[in-house]
Amino acid sequence: VEADRRSVEISRTILDKTGVPFEVLRADMNRGIERFKNQYRDQLLPQYDIVLFLGVFHHLPDKALAGAWVTYLSSLARDWFIMRP
């Protein structure tokens, strides 16, 4: 999940070359988890092998919301949840 359109395009370009299935979604995480889930309900899977949460935490000014995102996203990770604050 990324808010910046250009960063989404770059991520998709890089990941597309791996041959591994991936999903990069564009969303403003400050708007909350429920809005995100509603916006992408048709695209989200119940679980993912790996969920990356890299360099996002510090961009969320509401630390309670940031913690809620960590809880939600880590619940989607079947094998690995990787976080870099």
Side-chain angles (χ1 to χ4, degrees), residues 17-58:
K17 296 174 195 248
T18 67
V20 175
F22 67 91
E23 190 72 48
V24 180
L25 304 174
R26 184 169 181 265
D28 181 352
M29 296 176 82
N30 286 302
R31 294 184 176 181
I33 296 167
E34 289 308 313
R35 183 173 176 147
F36 171 79
K37 287 173 22 178
N38 288 333
Q39 182 178 358
Y40 291 107
R41 68 180 160 269
D42 294 334
Q43 291 171 268
L44 292 172
L45 299 176
Q47 280 201 309
Y48 296 87
D49 295 335
I50 301 169
V51 175
L52 304 175
F53 191 67
L54 306 176
V56 176
F57 194 89
H58 66 281

